[in-house]
Amino acid sequence: MPGSPLEGELRALGFGVRVVTEPSQTPSVLASVPAGERVALVDSRFVGHTHSLRLGLTDPRFPAAAVPGAVTARPEARPALAHALATAVRGAAPAGHGAPLAPATHPLRQPMPAEGGAPGTEVLPQTDTGGGPLPDRLAGLLDADGTAVHRPDLGSLVAVVPASPQERNEARQSVEAVDEEAVRLRSAVKARDGFFTTHFISPYSRYIARWCARRGLTPNQVTTASLLTALIAAACAATGTRSGYVAAGALLLASFVLDCTDGQLARYSLQYSTLGAWLDATFDRAKEYAYYAGLALGAARGGDDVWALALGAMVLQTCRHVIDFSFNEANHDAAANTSPTAALSGKLDSVGWTVWLRRMIVLPIGERWAMIAVLTACTTPRITFVVLLIACGLAACYTTAGRLLRSVTRRATRTDRAAQALADLADSGPLARLFARVLRPLGRALPRIGVPLLALLGAAAVTASAAFTSYGSAWPVLGAAVYVVSSALAVARPLKGALDWLVPPFLRAAEYGTILLLAARSDPHGALPAAFGLVAAVAYHHYDTVYRIRGGTGAPPRWLTQAIAGHEGRTLLVALLAAVLGGSGFATALTVLAVLVALVVLFESIRFWVSAGAPAVHDEGEPA
């Protein structure tokens, strides 16, 4: 076994190799590996592609994983693997074959030395006693014991444990018949990208990802390069010159190429990380909104004030995402989750051109950034924002209508987890929580349809008072007070109704819209840039909440929501500031509030995402 091609493949993947000669020695060898390291058991008769082993043994997102002939466990799944191994080895007879136990003693992207391996290298014997290869039986025992085992879709890749010389020769021929590198490059690209990304970016960005991998670059480094490129693009747009706009459009497209490359690099080399999850989850929004600010600054240099349009674009785009997130979380694990609308969508998926058309209609990030880049280079910031608002508005109408149809035509039973996720997305602060406790009997008496209607009416009350009453009057404050009570009633009971997923989007629209309207009416005093910063800070907090929920760790801690007052507290505070201060004092107050919210939110977010307990979340879809 030592020096075999399989051992070399495992070392190339970053594993050390230990070898034993008897099955009874396997548990003790496993126990000798430090508890904080990943271990893998691979049958010495394994025949397959190296990338099959990479997919099965090195993905850091799953506690336990397996491919035919190999099984792995991260530290949290080690006790379950040890128990399964003890069960399997009892009564197993030696068969004279070896299987390496490979503890990951180095970071997976740093291969072990070609010679020497890990200290105390030994070989585990193959114990196939009629129940199949030992790694396969261990994977089955882990499943039976309640430990979920990830089994990657290998597609055309080969991973087998042949039982005879003839089968071994056939397996080797199958390995040689498949271009492993071509498969690896294809799998680096998302399965459901948009039209522009699929046809104009991914055909070459995957090769950039491979180039980066071969030079030891990490996805986080590429993500950071994408952010820096977008920030330079925003700075070019801020010059307000035609050459600056052209450069900004080109750099924005270059930033998007790098944005695609970082994810493809992560999938190509399976370099997922908690820090990468945080960067990937937040940098896209930071890039886009910084670019909006650059366009607004450039327009101001030319004497055109488009801050209201820039803020409106940010509000609309963020609310679109909240609709997506809320709907998906509400139906994530719903029982009987079917509807005629979903069935029709499934039928349309079988017609190729409709798939691409529907992906383009929702204006995903690729199409949106391409449109922004071209409009920046060829037109003015005002035209860019007007077209963007119209296109995003139409996309929002299309997606929301589809989600409404699915919600009213399906008979799904939503879980406590879904209700908790919606409550977390609501971002209720101390005022809403207090009134929710006081008004809980009334909230429980409301019909199901009354919950989203209350949120809608409260949102309409505060935004209408901000838009149509005298600026500086007490009417927006009264509207905000009504909003506090109505939003509290909306979350007074679990959000399990068919349309309760609309509550978080209504609350986001109310808060962002109120800030936008009051700042716009105080525009001569420069409140809009400050409002842009405040909405950006709050939106970051909401995106941070989404990705924590997706990672299974729940919402940010209660103290954070209390410290930044919740959506209703911030809305009421902004209305009070507009009524009491007015003019330049309002702009100054918004600036201070934006800085305070940003500091608190960023502190907690950075602390969480760089901690050991943060999830390795990577979105395999392309958010609109």
Side-chain angles (χ1 to χ4, degrees):
M1 172 66 193
S4 70
L6 178 58
E7 183 177 344
E9 291 177 2
L10 290 169
R11 293 189 187 282
L13 292 178
F15 286 94
V17 179
R18 297 189 181 184
V19 183
V20 296
T21 57
E22 295 294 334
S24 59
Q25 298 174 354
T26 305
S28 61
V29 172
L30 177 67
S32 70
V33 179
E37 296 176 354
R38 173 200 288 267
V39 294
L41 287 148
V42 185
D43 193 294
S44 65
R45 299 171 299 172
F46 175 89
V47 175
H49 292 99
T50 301
H51 195 51
S52 296
L53 290 173
R54 182 182 290 107
L55 290 171
L57 303 182
T58 68
D59 195 322
R61 297 173 297 174
F62 307 102
V67 293
V71 64
T72 184
R74 287 176 55 82
E76 58 267 33
R78 286 273 302 272
L81 178 64
H83 177 72
L85 183 59
T87 302
V89 170
R90 283 196 301 267
H97 295 284
L101 170 67
T105 57
H106 293 272
L108 297 178
R109 61 177 179 273
Q110 298 176 0
M112 291 289 295
E115 298 179 359
T121 300
E122 302 173 72
V123 168
L124 293 176
Q126 162 62 17
T127 56
D128 188 345
T129 59
L134 175 60
D136 295 356
R137 289 190 289 125
L138 290 176
L141 289 170
L142 286 172
D143 278 329
D145 195 39
T147 302
V149 178
H150 172 67
R151 292 176 173 82
D153 182 7
L154 300 180
S156 59
L157 295 175
V158 176
V160 296
V161 178
S164 67
Q166 180 180 350
E167 290 182 3
R168 188 172 189 83
N169 289 333
E170 292 173 352
R172 287 174 172 170
Q173 292 173 6
S174 298
V175 169
E176 294 173 358
V178 176
D179 187 341
E180 179 179 9
E181 183 60 21
V183 173
R184 190 178 176 188
L185 282 170
R186 284 198 304 271
S187 64
V189 178
K190 287 180 184 177
R192 290 182 57 84
D193 263 337
F195 179 85
F196 178 78
T197 305
T198 299
H199 296 285
F200 293 94
I201 304 297
S202 293
Y204 58 87
S205 63
R206 69 184 75 181
Y207 295 101
I208 300 175
R210 181 174 66 181
W211 183 90
C212 292
R214 291 178 176 177
R215 281 151 185 82
L217 297 176
T218 67
N220 294 348
Q221 291 170 332
V222 178
T223 302
T224 304
S226 176
L227 174 66
L228 293 175
T229 304
L231 293 178
I232 296 172
C236 290
T239 63
T241 63
R242 177 50 52 194
S243 59
Y245 290 147
V246 172
L251 287 170
L252 185 64
L253 288 177
S255 175
F256 182 66
V257 172
L258 292 174
D259 182 60
C260 295
T261 301
D262 65 356
Q264 291 166 358
L265 174 58
R267 287 182 287 275
Y268 182 84
S269 55
L270 297 184
Q271 295 185 67
Y272 301 105
S273 67
T274 54
L275 178 60
W278 174 61
L279 296 177
D280 186 61
T282 57
F283 275 16
D284 279 352
R285 304 287 78 77
K287 289 180 285 189
E288 188 167 4
Y289 299 157
Y291 192 82
Y292 291 174
L295 281 177
L297 288 170
R301 286 179 177 272
D304 189 12
D305 187 351
V306 298
W307 275 107
L309 295 175
L311 181 51
M314 181 165 65
V315 169
L316 178 56
Q317 189 57 40
T318 303
C319 288
R320 285 185 63 204
H321 283 153
V322 175
I323 291 173
D324 295 339
F325 297 145
S326 294
F327 180 81
N328 290 334
E329 288 301 325
N331 296 282
H332 176 74
D333 51 3
N337 197 12
T338 59
S339 74
T341 308
L344 175 61
S345 178
K347 290 180 180 179
L348 289 175
D349 283 342
S350 63
V351 183
W353 67 269
T354 67
V355 174
W356 293 119
L357 179 62
R358 287 186 295 137
R359 290 188 191 179
M360 293 173 68
I361 288 175
V362 301
L363 202 67
I365 188 171
E367 277 76 357
R368 190 171 66 256
W369 282 26
M371 181 182 71
I372 293 171
V374 172
L375 289 173
T376 299
C378 300
T379 65
T380 65
R382 179 171 291 275
I383 293 175
T384 300
F385 282 125
V386 169
V387 174
L388 178 63
L389 284 165
I390 293 173
C392 286
L394 293 174
C397 290
Y398 171 79
T399 55
T400 305
R403 285 164 171 71
L404 286 171
L405 284 173
R406 292 186 183 214
S407 298
V408 299
T409 57
R410 66 166 43 125
R411 294 293 181 267
T413 301
R414 289 171 176 82
T415 63
D416 292 336
R417 176 202 173 279
Q420 184 60 53
L422 291 179
D424 292 336
L425 290 174
D427 191 32
S428 298
L431 288 176
R433 294 179 187 274
L434 173 63
F435 280 102
R437 287 195 298 270
V438 173
L439 302 174
R440 185 163 294 146
L442 179 58
R444 289 175 174 172
L446 288 172
R448 278 295 179 188
I449 192 61
V451 172
L453 280 179
L454 265 176
L456 175 60
L457 290 174
V462 67
T463 53
S465 62
F468 300 117
T469 62
S470 300
Y471 177 76
S473 70
W475 286 107
V477 179
L478 179 60
V482 172
Y483 170 68
V484 169
V485 176
S486 65
S487 61
L489 272 171
V491 297
R493 68 179 182 188
L495 297 174
K496 294 186 176 183
L499 297 177
D500 284 0
W501 58 270
L502 287 168
V503 171
F506 286 152
L507 303 182
R508 295 294 78 74
E511 179 183 1
Y512 300 160
T514 301
I515 296 172
L516 167 60
L517 290 167
L518 291 175
R521 301 192 68 184
S522 179
D523 184 48
H525 302 284
L528 277 169
F532 188 96
L534 176 58
V535 172
V538 175
Y540 176 89
H541 164 61
H542 291 143
Y543 281 109
D544 184 54
T545 300
V546 166
Y547 280 93
R548 293 196 197 206
I549 294 172
R550 284 186 170 184
T553 59
R558 178 71 63 85
W559 72 261
L560 177 63
T561 305
Q562 302 283 340
I564 58 176
H567 68 91
E568 80 291 348
R570 292 187 297 269
T571 304
L572 181 59
L573 178 59
V574 170
L576 283 169
L577 291 173
V580 174
L581 299 176
S584 59
F586 181 55
T588 302
L590 285 182
T591 302
V592 173
L593 183 59
V595 171
L596 291 176
V597 170
L599 288 176
V600 174
V601 166
L602 285 172
F603 169 80
E604 164 55 23
S605 179
I606 294 172
R607 182 208 63 77
F608 172 78
W609 286 103
V610 300
S611 69
V617 180
H618 283 264
D619 190 6
E620 291 301 310
E622 184 175 77

